[in-house]
Structures are given as structure tokens and as C-alpha cells.
Amino acid sequence: MKIIKIGRSNTNNCVFSNSTVSSIHAELILDDTGEKWILKDLNSTNGTFVNGKKIMGNVPVTANDVIRFGSETTSLTEIVSKGNKTKIKTVLPGINRKTIGKNISCDIKFTQDDVSREHAVIYKTETGAIVIEDRGSTNGTYVNGIKITSKELLPGDKVTITRNYSLDWESIYRVNEIKPQPKIRWDKVAAVFVICIFLIGGGIFGYNIIKEAKELPPEEIYAMYKKSVVFIYNQYTFKVTVGNYDLNDIVSSFPNNYYIDGKGELQAGVAGSSGTGFFVSSDGRIATNKHVVSLMGYENAIANYIKSTLSNLLVDKYGSQAFPVVNAMDVQYVQSISIAMNDAHLGSEKDLLPCTILKVSDNNNLDVAVIQLNTKETPTSVTQLIDLNNLTDDKHLSMGKKLYTIGFPKGLEWALTQQGIQATNESGTVNQTVNEFLYGHNINVTHGASGSPVFDTKGRFAGIIVSGQEFQTVSPSGKIQSIPAQHNQAIKPYPAANFIKNVY
């Protein structure tokens, strides 16, 4: 059996650079007979299609089939040709080079599962500078929390292999350095030591007093983070096809696109919803609520409900003549997610910036998702990312503690101004402890505020608003029903930050 891995990452056998292709998108499998190719989608963001139809599970393919990954159209012949190309191993650069990874041959070994076999390399240049380079690892190499491909290191820089494992790089090149040992004047050492203890002790005491007392006014918190907060627009529909045709091409009285409204009723057309998100990295990653960018995992169930409802309507109207259409009917969830920056002027949907979903939580109690701009670059106007390492503590989430949030409650209804769209700043206090994921508050929020970051009075990250949006589920009887929003709750900072930081 032969397997060809397909995706945008260089770790695949067959690589496509198209941004709609996921990093690990699909795989092509040659069965044990050596005669049959099987194509399998690997939970890609934008889907895998054979002859225009989105595939689910394993699908046989031939040289005559038209294959598409996202918007990248290809063929079996091209995939096999790409997959058979031998990759040229590049010569590693530098002087006194150290390879880093899980491979037994690496100079610096990490045994953890999320470290790649050859993860990174660190070396000296001819000028004596220290450089670290990522070797196309799966989970990245980070310097001071920022993912890098190559970076010259400066004293004090913090290097982590993936986001989780520190690399003490400064000690690597000091081990063999021999420096002349000066004559020690112990009397001076003792005097300096006493002075340092006095200064450090007093400094720490003074710093703790200042730190503990330092609180920021709401206008300063707003000015600090308003550029980091974005308006999210989610358009979605369930597209109905019959074979290679749209439903409307076969039955002119039935539209192609449907959604379920807030009353659980079937409606024709495209639905739209809005929410808030916030930048958490320099590569365009945005955190928000799961329910802002998805139907909470009920997409397939709702698609089956729509198919069942339409099938019954067709049979009621056309009798047994509708059976061929019903049997060939397919319903697929289709969505488009985009954002607008704070201060942006919106004239049309063309002014929105398209995004891709990276990951949504598989736990509906942890209503968190991460999306990413298709450009994979955070706009230069964002000067202050939301720091997920600077979290409020439990003391500042106790009853009565003050909180602030920045977002887009009421969507564009409140946000549109002559200066462009403007996020609003709301405040309130903690008033309830709900469970391990949520706490209650009395901040005045409505739909559209979902996904807004919450801050304590020191500007530290204090969680994510989960209010303002109903989402749909399917009852045991098969009926679509809406779940009302929890308008006065927020996700706690630690579970939110842990989920977001572990999205690669």
C-alpha cells in the first residue's frame, strides 16, 4: 500500500501553495492490489471534491476524474507525479551547528510527540551572530512568543520548540568558552553584595506596591486594544444539489439554498450573523466564539433535517415522480467568514477581509474558535496584540470585581459612524461563578458582542464574552430548535488562552 500526503505544508508528498488548501488536506492511497486509488479528505477546512461533489470518507478515483482541493483543481495524474518527486535535502547552514528535534541523530533532542523529527537548527554565522531556523516543523519554532522561520537571537530572547518547550540557547555556545579569571577582591565583593541585596529588596518591594496599585482607566484600556478587536461577518447556507445539478435546475419551483431561522423554520436563501474577534498573533490569527463561526457542530444534523424536509415536500407535491430526485439529493453546508477592522469604512462586502477557520472547540461548554486572515498577516495598524500570557488572576474574578470589554454589540447597527465602524467599550462587575469554563457578569451586552475580549482593571486578559447569539441544535424528535444565548456570561481566561495557544 502506498500513501501520498497532500496539502500546503512542505511536510507533504504532494504540495499545493494555494491558500484554500489546508496544511494537511487529504491523502491518496494505492490499495494492496496496486490497481485502485482511494482519495480521503483529512478534515480540511475548504473540502475535497471529485467531479464537483464534496467527498466524505474514502472515494475511488481514476485518471479521468476532476479533483479539487479547496479552489485548487488538479487530477490523479498530477498528484501522483508530484508525489513521486524526490525532495532535495538542503545543506544545513552555519558554524558550530546544532540540530534540534526528535530524531536520534539530532544534537539537541526533544522526545515529545508534538516536536518534529528534525524540528530546527541553531548555529553561529561567520560574524559570530547566533541564528535559529525552523526546518519546516509541524508545530513551529517561536522566539518571544512569535513563530519564526529564521531569526537572529539577541541576549534575553526566549526560544521555545513548539509553544511548549524552552530552549536554553544562551548556554549552548558558552560551554566551551574559556575566559581569563580575574583576581577576586573579596572585600569589594562583600560590599557590593550587601548594597545589591538592599537595592534589590527595596526595588522588589517598591515594584510590587506599584504593580499592585497600577490600575488603568477604561479609556486607556480601550485605546490600547481597540485596533486589536475586529467585526466578524459569517454568511452561510445549505446548498442543495441533485447529482451534478442544482436543485432549481431540476425542480424550478424549489430554490437551491436554505437555512433554518430562529423559530426552527425552513427558509430559502443565505443567512448572516455577526460577532466580535480579537488578534492574538502576528500571522493573522483571531480568537472568537465557536457559535460566531459555526453552528456548534450541528451542521450535518441540520443538513439531514433540511434534506428530509425537502424530500417530504417534493413527494407531497409530485408523488412517486419525485423519488429519483429525492434519492440523488445532497445537502452541503457552505459558509464564508470575513472581518472588518475597527475604523474601517464599509461600502460593500468587498471591503471585508476573508478568513479561514483554523479550529473550533469540540466541547460546546468551551465556546471558543480560532480563525485566520487568508493573507496570514496581521495588519500593521494592530500595534497591541491581546497578550494570552498576561492573564487576570482568580482574585480579580471574585464577586464585585470590575471588568471591561471591547466589541460590536448590535453589530453594525451601533458600530457605523462617520469615522468608520467603531467598537464600543462596556463595563460591569463579576456577579456569578458558573462552572470550570464560565463566570457570570452584569456587563450590558447584546448579540454581536459574542467573542469580545474581557479585561480586568489592569488591562489583563480576563476571558471572552459568550453572549448575544442563539445557536441551533436538533431535538431527539428531529426538530430544529434554537438555544437562547447566555447574555451575562464569559469564558474564563485560562481555558480560553490554553485552547487558543494550542491551535497550530
Side-chain angles (χ1 to χ4, degrees):
M1 182 172 69
K2 178 179 180 180
I3 299 177
I4 297 177
K5 297 288 186 180
I6 303 161
R8 200 172 66 250
S9 169
N10 289 329
T11 58
N12 294 286
N13 309 107
C14 176
V15 178
F16 292 99
S17 60
N18 189 319
S19 62
T20 65
V21 178
S22 295
S23 296
I24 302 174
H25 196 108
E27 62 183 16
L28 186 65
I29 306 166
L30 181 64
D31 70 2
D32 292 332
T33 67
E35 299 177 353
K36 186 177 181 181
W37 287 101
I38 303 294
L39 186 63
K40 179 181 180 181
D41 184 84
L42 299 177
N43 295 319
S44 65
T45 300
N46 296 309
T48 300
F49 301 81
V50 175
N51 298 325
K53 186 173 181 178
K54 188 174 183 179
I55 68 170
M56 306 291 288
N58 296 344
V59 175
V61 290
T62 69
N64 296 323
D65 290 325
V66 177
I67 300 170
R68 179 161 56 86
F69 305 112
S71 64
E72 180 74 31
T73 301
T74 183
S75 65
L76 176 64
T77 302
E78 182 182 6
I79 296 170
V80 174
S81 175
K82 278 177 169 280
N84 287 334
K85 289 181 180 178
T86 302
K87 294 183 179 179
I88 300 173
K89 185 175 181 180
T90 57
V91 177
L92 296 177
I95 302 167
N96 195 12
R97 183 180 65 247
K98 307 287 184 183
T99 53
I100 305 165
K102 196 163 53 180
N103 197 314
I104 193 171
S105 63
C106 287
D107 301 302
I108 303 170
K109 297 181 185 63
F110 288 82
T111 59
Q112 292 85 353
D113 290 340
D114 51 345
V115 176
S116 297
R117 291 178 62 80
E118 188 175 313
H119 196 103
V121 61
I122 189 169
Y123 59 89
K124 275 189 178 182
T125 66
E126 293 181 354
T127 62
I130 308 298
V131 176
I132 189 165
E133 290 186 1
D134 187 84
R135 302 294 294 170
S137 66
T138 302
N139 295 318
T141 302
Y142 294 78
V143 177
N144 300 325
I146 298 174
K147 190 174 183 180
I148 59 95
T149 52
S150 179
K151 180 77 168 61
E152 180 179 330
L153 299 175
L154 301 175
D157 282 346
K158 181 180 178 182
V159 177
T160 54
I161 304 303
T162 77
R163 287 184 183 271
N164 300 318
Y165 314 113
S166 295
L167 176 70
D168 187 10
W169 65 273
E170 290 183 272
S171 68
I172 294 174
Y173 295 98
R174 287 205 301 261
V175 174
N176 297 321
E177 292 181 4
I178 301 176
K179 297 182 179 180
Q181 300 297 316
K183 185 177 180 180
I184 299 174
R185 290 285 305 274
W186 291 106
D187 56 337
K188 291 187 177 182
V189 170
V192 171
F193 178 76
V194 171
I195 293 171
C196 287
I197 291 297
F198 176 78
L199 291 175
I200 291 171
I204 292 173
F205 178 75
Y207 173 74
N208 284 335
I209 292 176
I210 294 171
K211 181 181 178 183
E212 196 62 34
K214 179 66 172 175
E215 293 196 348
L216 304 176
E219 60 270 20
E220 187 172 334
I221 294 174
Y222 180 78
M224 187 185 305
Y225 292 118
K226 68 175 183 177
K227 292 288 189 179
S228 305
V229 176
V230 299
F231 171 81
I232 297 179
Y233 184 52
N234 179 20
Q235 283 186 297
Y236 63 91
T237 189
F238 289 83
K239 185 174 178 61
V240 185
T241 56
V242 180
N244 293 325
Y245 299 93
D246 290 343
L247 176 61
N248 188 251
D249 296 334
I250 305 297
V251 186
S252 59
S253 58
F254 280 71
N256 300 323
N257 298 309
Y258 295 87
Y259 67 95
I260 304 298
D261 66 15
K263 297 179 181 179
E265 302 296 333
L266 184 67
Q267 301 291 344
V270 178
S273 63
S274 67
T276 302
F278 52 95
F279 282 107
V280 295
S281 69
S282 60
D283 61 355
R285 297 186 187 218
I286 299 164
T288 186
N289 286 148
K290 177 179 179 178
H291 75 255
V292 169
V293 296
S294 77
L295 296 178
M296 300 298 283
Y298 293 105
E299 289 84 354
N300 289 337
I302 294 174
N304 291 334
Y305 175 79
I306 291 174
K307 181 177 180 180
S308 174
T309 302
L310 291 177
S311 298
N312 291 335
L313 291 172
L314 284 167
V315 171
D316 288 344
K317 186 170 183 177
Y318 297 103
S320 60
Q321 293 180 348
F323 288 163
V325 175
V326 169
N327 292 335
M329 186 187 298
D330 185 42
V331 180
Q332 292 291 332
Y333 178 65
V334 180
Q335 72 174 150
S336 171
I337 297 175
S338 52
I339 68 159
M341 302 291 293
N342 199 52
D343 296 334
H345 290 270
L346 297 181
S348 68
E349 291 183 8
K350 294 181 180 179
D351 297 320
L352 296 167
L353 307 177
C355 295
T356 300
I357 296 177
L358 292 186
K359 189 173 183 179
V360 297
S361 170
D362 57 7
N363 182 349
N364 283 349
N365 290 318
L366 183 62
D367 190 354
V368 184
V370 178
I371 63 176
Q372 185 177 34
L373 282 172
N374 288 353
T375 60
K376 295 187 177 179
E377 293 182 358
T378 297
T380 55
S381 60
V382 180
T383 57
Q384 181 77 43
L385 298 172
I386 306 299
D387 187 356
L388 299 179
N389 293 312
N390 186 23
L391 309 182
T392 192
D393 50 35
D394 290 340
K395 182 176 70 174
H396 284 81
L397 285 180
S398 57
M399 295 294 181
K401 289 295 184 179
K402 191 85 170 178
L403 298 172
Y404 302 106
T405 184
I406 305 172
F408 294 93
K410 287 284 187 179
L412 295 181
E413 182 180 342
W414 286 3
L416 288 174
T417 72
Q418 291 184 343
Q419 290 74 41
I421 64 169
Q422 296 282 321
T424 62
N425 187 17
E426 304 289 341
S427 63
T429 57
V430 178
N431 64 4
Q432 186 184 27
T433 299
V434 180
N435 57 36
E436 61 180 309
F437 297 111
L438 299 171
Y439 64 88
H441 57 81
N442 58 14
I443 299 173
N444 182 26
V445 292
T446 61
H447 69 274
S450 299
S452 300
V454 185
F455 306 98
D456 67 10
T457 54
K458 297 181 181 181
R460 298 180 298 187
F461 179 65
I464 307 174
I465 296 290
V466 290
S467 68
Q469 175 101 4
E470 292 186 341
F471 63 88
Q472 292 162 336
T473 184
V474 181
S475 69
S477 64
K479 176 68 175 176
I480 301 296
Q481 58 188 13
S482 294
I483 303 298
Q486 299 295 334
H487 286 283
N488 292 312
Q489 291 181 356
I491 301 169
K492 291 181 177 178
Y494 285 93
N498 287 339
F499 176 85
I500 296 165
K501 289 195 290 186
N502 282 289
V503 176
Y504 299 107

